[in-house]
Amino acid sequence: MKLDPAVMRDLTATAVNRGARRQWTIEDVDWAALRPENLTQTDTSVVRFITFIEDHIPGYLTYFLDQFPVRGQELDIEDFCFNREYFRFLIAWAYDEERHASVLTKYQVEAGINTPDELMRELAEEGRKQFSLPYEHPVQAFTYTLVQEKATQLFYQQFRTVVTEPVLRDLLNRLARDEARHFAFYSNLVGQYIERHGLAATVPDLKDVLGTFRMPLADTLKGYWRWSLQVADTAGYDHTEAYESLVRLVKGFTTSSGAASTTDLATFVDKIRQV
């Protein structure tokens, strides 16, 4: 299933312009307000965990650049144009995520969680591992990212409700807003696939993603599952809550001819969440 490059051009322009209007920098953070004594051991552990996740941006970006190449004369012109427009979003998105990695790294150092050199090597140990997704079709990669961005947004929002350290609360709010913008882009993009190709053709790909979904680094980060359980307990967090955003998106395209597909996806999500 393909999408018109002009559609990607318009979606990307909207997302990139919105992001440019809402930029923030590490210097905008009130570091003088940092109160490390307010951090619990669990807070510290979760900060280390999310730093690993955010710092893997070179791996995430490399994967998407490989999947949507912008080089090679063998590329079909339409495919190149589509990938070229998507590239504009990827660069803006990578800038956001690199800022997340940088600000969390600085937070660890300023809060005395780690030293700069130790942290650099700790992150490098995991960062050099390859990131990949088990999907063949663009709409599947986009659906995965839609769910992942929403899940991350929800986690940051929920973790913020249990944190008392003021600078960390501020950072979580900033990160959640960025992830919400990223989610909006992918939601609009997947919506365009549904609109063009119909629910009957698209829902099987969406179900395939949800049926195999794992958060980033679930299979490579040392101690991931121990950490993820701690994260869930700390913030009352369940990443499958993000699946509902996909169901709501699909419901927005429901017609009499697509009602069966919508019901099928909603039932599928309910079964996953009950496991």
Side-chain angles (χ1 to χ4, degrees):
M1 296 191 295
K2 291 191 175 184
L3 205 61
D4 190 331
V7 172
M8 179 62 89
R9 180 185 61 211
D10 293 342
L11 292 177
T12 294
T14 298
V16 171
N17 290 337
R18 180 180 293 125
R21 293 193 299 270
R22 300 180 181 180
Q23 285 299 315
W24 56 276
T25 71
I26 295 177
E27 285 71 28
D28 293 334
V29 177
D30 183 8
W31 295 104
L34 182 63
R35 298 293 179 270
E37 64 274 13
N38 288 7
L39 291 171
T40 66
Q41 287 187 339
T42 299
D43 292 341
T44 298
S45 180
V46 174
V47 168
R48 291 184 60 235
F49 177 69
I50 62 177
T51 305
F52 278 119
I53 304 299
E54 295 284 2
D55 193 69
H56 209 81
I57 182 59
Y60 307 145
L61 181 60
T62 298
Y63 168 79
F64 282 104
L65 291 177
D66 286 344
Q67 295 301 307
F68 300 91
V70 287
R71 66 187 184 279
Q73 291 185 338
E74 72 281 2
L75 275 175
D76 176 83
I77 288 294
E78 287 291 302
D79 290 341
F80 176 86
C81 290
F82 180 88
N83 295 351
R84 179 66 180 89
E85 296 303 326
Y86 183 42
F87 178 85
R88 301 179 201 279
F89 173 80
L90 284 176
I91 295 304
W93 163 78
Y95 181 78
D96 286 345
E97 300 295 346
E98 180 60 32
R99 184 175 59 245
H100 294 180
S102 297
V103 78
L104 288 169
T105 298
K106 181 175 175 64
Y107 184 85
Q108 285 206 42
V109 173
E110 294 294 325
I113 297 173
N114 215 328
T115 66
D117 289 345
E118 289 174 346
L119 182 55
M120 179 174 62
R121 287 167 172 75
E122 185 177 72
L123 294 173
E125 182 66 32
E126 299 298 333
R128 62 184 179 172
K129 297 177 182 177
Q130 183 177 359
F131 171 79
S132 64
L133 294 175
Y135 307 121
E136 297 181 7
H137 309 302
V139 69
Q140 293 176 310
F142 298 147
T143 300
Y144 173 89
T145 315
L146 177 157
V147 175
Q148 182 267 318
E149 296 285 359
K150 173 56 73 171
T152 308
Q153 174 201 343
L154 292 174
F155 169 70
Y156 288 151
Q157 290 173 338
Q158 291 175 221
F159 184 37
R160 186 178 183 275
T161 65
V162 300
V163 167
T164 61
E165 202 290 300
V167 174
L168 181 55
R169 285 175 56 83
D170 176 48
L171 293 185
L172 291 170
N173 189 50
R174 293 175 187 271
L175 271 55
R177 289 202 305 263
D178 287 348
E179 306 296 4
R181 283 193 290 102
H182 303 158
F183 162 76
F185 168 78
Y186 283 105
S187 182
N188 291 333
L189 180 54
V190 172
Q192 287 294 327
Y193 275 92
I194 296 172
E195 185 172 307
R196 173 163 182 170
H197 298 286
L199 287 172
T202 312
V203 164
D205 278 333
L206 308 188
K207 290 175 62 178
D208 183 52
V209 172
L210 296 183
T212 57
F213 185 87
R214 289 174 179 266
M215 288 295 285
L217 310 193
D219 297 318
T220 60
L221 178 61
K222 184 178 180 180
Y224 177 90
W225 294 106
R226 171 182 55 81
W227 247 329
S228 65
L229 289 174
Q230 183 182 47
V231 164
D233 290 341
T234 299
Y237 167 74
D238 177 2
H239 76 264
T240 65
E241 293 177 19
Y243 296 1
E244 299 297 339
S245 62
L246 189 58
V247 174
R248 288 192 295 271
L249 173 64
V250 169
K251 285 182 177 178
F253 290 89
T254 300
T255 62
S256 57
S257 61
S261 295
T262 304
T263 301
D264 185 37
L265 180 63
T267 301
F268 184 72
V269 167
D270 285 341
K271 288 181 178 179
I272 291 176
R273 299 199 65 197
Q274 289 172 13
V275 174

